[in-house]
Amino acid sequence: MTSSEKGRPKPAAVLSDKRKQKLAKKGGSMVISLLRFILLAGISFVILYPLVTKILVSFMPVEDVYDMSVHYIPKTFTLSNYRQAWNFLNIPELALNSFLYPLVVSVVQTVSATVVAYGFARFDFRFKNIFFFIVVLGMIVPPDLILLPLYVNFRYFDIFGLFRLILGEPLNLLNTITPFVLLGITCTGLKNGLYIFMMRQYFRGLPKELEEAAYVDGAGTLKAFVSVFLASARQIMMTVFLFSFVWQWLDDIFTSVFLQDVPMLTTELYRLISNSSGVDAGISNLTEFSLMRNCGMLFLIIPMLVLYLFCQRYFTESIERSGLVG
């Protein structure tokens, strides 16, 4: 090829083909982005529509419910539904128990799951795979299946007959936080298997060089765990804590069985929802009673939404590194 041929501009057909390919690629990306947007918008609508509707309806007076011209936005905003639900549920009395119990249980579950998961991730021992299979099995078994044995165990709690020998009868641990703490310490509590799995996947993803460097510097197993692994696992521990807190906050299975005489928001709300007449609440108008029940459910949902808004930055990276996605 001569120098004149090298400097000659490319034919228009070649430039046109490359431009078409570039436009086709760009168009394909735009189509994929549009489909992704439609999919996310549809999922968001399905999730948010019932919640937004409940929030708007909760501010409606009874007159707006029967007004055919009112669809979503109330003509007259009122807080009377919230006041009635607040007084019937006795929120000031329920708030302390409903917040304190999940807080303590979540801390216990996070600590125990972290220690157990570290052992599964960094040590080799006999029957390790069998034990981890039991952990995974605990994620599958519904809590209702073991509810009756747990109730009998905590109603007549004893350790090798020692309490019966010393006190004359077994201990009754019901209506206390002790059953939840014992289940959390032994990693058999609500969703504890999931927390162990998340922490194990995170610890397995950390390089072994960090642990070996700590051992070279003279650190023992406990010091290496505290100074190296816990320092880098704050995000995943926060995620586990938030998961545990939300599940304990919304739990009405263990709570209704182990805390029958302790007022909790979930059990009182269930009593409010199951009451179809409104007589216990002192309300004869069923529509007004339905609006009050709607507000009661929002008392349970809104704190979790606020908690998520403040803590959402901890979720993305820790969930990706835990192996639950992808």
Side-chain angles (χ1 to χ4, degrees):
M1 183 181 294
T2 63
S3 58
S4 60
E5 291 177 338
K6 291 182 180 180
R8 186 180 303 169
K10 295 181 179 180
V14 177
L15 294 175
S16 178
D17 292 340
K18 289 187 176 181
R19 187 175 181 181
K20 288 180 180 179
Q21 293 176 358
K22 187 176 181 180
L23 290 175
K25 186 177 180 180
K26 186 176 181 181
S29 301
M30 293 179 62
V31 171
I32 293 175
S33 299
L34 179 61
L35 293 176
R36 187 186 297 117
F37 172 78
I38 295 174
L39 178 62
L40 292 177
I43 295 175
S44 300
F45 176 80
V46 171
I47 295 174
L48 295 178
Y49 175 76
L51 178 61
V52 174
T53 303
K54 278 186 176 295
I55 294 175
L56 293 176
V57 171
S58 67
F59 292 103
M60 286 186 181
V62 178
E63 294 77 13
D64 285 359
V65 177
Y66 291 107
D67 192 343
M68 299 300 294
S69 62
V70 177
H71 296 286
Y72 299 106
I73 308 299
K75 286 185 177 180
T76 304
F77 282 84
T78 179
L79 295 176
S80 61
N81 303 320
Y82 285 96
R83 285 194 294 267
Q84 289 177 341
W86 182 280
N87 294 329
F88 177 76
L89 292 173
N90 196 6
I91 295 297
E93 180 182 351
L94 298 180
L96 180 60
N97 288 338
S98 300
F99 179 80
L100 184 60
Y101 277 59
L103 179 64
V104 174
V105 175
S106 301
V107 171
V108 172
Q109 284 189 329
T110 303
V111 173
S112 61
T114 302
V115 174
V116 173
Y118 177 74
F120 276 119
R122 313 304 292 193
F123 296 102
D124 291 324
F125 49 90
R126 293 185 64 184
F127 309 117
K128 173 182 175 180
N129 294 332
I130 297 177
F131 287 134
F132 188 71
F133 172 77
I134 296 175
V135 171
V136 176
L137 187 64
M139 299 167 53
I140 304 173
V141 176
D144 312 66
L145 192 64
I146 59 174
L147 193 58
L148 182 58
L150 288 177
Y151 174 82
V152 174
N153 184 34
F154 292 125
R155 174 59 182 85
Y156 306 99
F157 186 77
D158 205 347
I159 301 177
F160 302 114
L162 294 178
F163 292 116
R164 186 183 297 273
L165 179 64
I166 298 174
L167 303 176
E169 60 180 0
L171 294 180
N172 182 8
L173 300 182
L174 300 181
N175 297 314
T176 67
I177 198 174
T178 308
F180 297 93
V181 173
L182 291 177
L183 291 175
I185 291 176
T186 57
C187 291
T188 54
L190 190 63
K191 306 297 182 180
N192 242 127
L194 175 62
Y195 309 146
I196 294 174
F197 178 81
M198 292 171 59
M199 297 297 301
R200 172 183 175 269
Q201 294 300 103
Y202 182 84
F203 285 135
R204 289 186 65 185
L206 296 178
K208 292 184 177 180
E209 288 75 13
L210 293 175
E211 187 176 14
E212 294 172 354
Y215 291 152
V216 170
D217 292 338
T221 303
L222 180 60
K223 187 175 180 179
F225 170 62
V226 174
S227 60
V228 177
F229 289 94
L230 285 187
S232 62
R234 286 177 295 183
Q235 287 186 337
I236 186 64
M237 290 180 66
M238 177 60 71
T239 301
V240 169
F241 171 80
L242 292 175
F243 278 155
S244 176
F245 186 87
V246 170
W247 262 307
Q248 290 295 329
W249 175 272
L250 300 176
D251 171 55
D252 64 341
I253 300 177
F254 288 167
T255 302
S256 60
V257 174
F258 298 152
L259 302 175
Q260 296 180 2
D261 298 332
V262 179
M264 299 289 287
L265 183 57
T266 51
T267 54
E268 292 299 314
L269 182 59
Y270 178 78
R271 182 167 66 90
L272 177 64
I273 295 175
S274 61
N275 181 14
S276 59
S277 63
V279 176
D280 294 342
I283 299 175
S284 57
N285 190 317
L286 292 180
T287 303
E288 186 177 355
F289 182 65
S290 299
L291 293 174
M292 187 187 73
R293 291 192 299 183
N294 194 17
C295 295
M297 287 184 282
L298 290 176
F299 282 141
L300 191 67
I301 296 174
I302 291 178
M304 296 298 97
L305 294 179
V306 174
L307 180 66
Y308 175 76
L309 290 177
F310 281 100
C311 303
Q312 61 177 334
R313 64 189 183 93
Y314 293 103
F315 279 86
T316 305
E317 181 180 353
S318 58
I319 291 299
E320 289 179 351
R321 298 189 65 177
S322 66
L324 293 182
V325 297

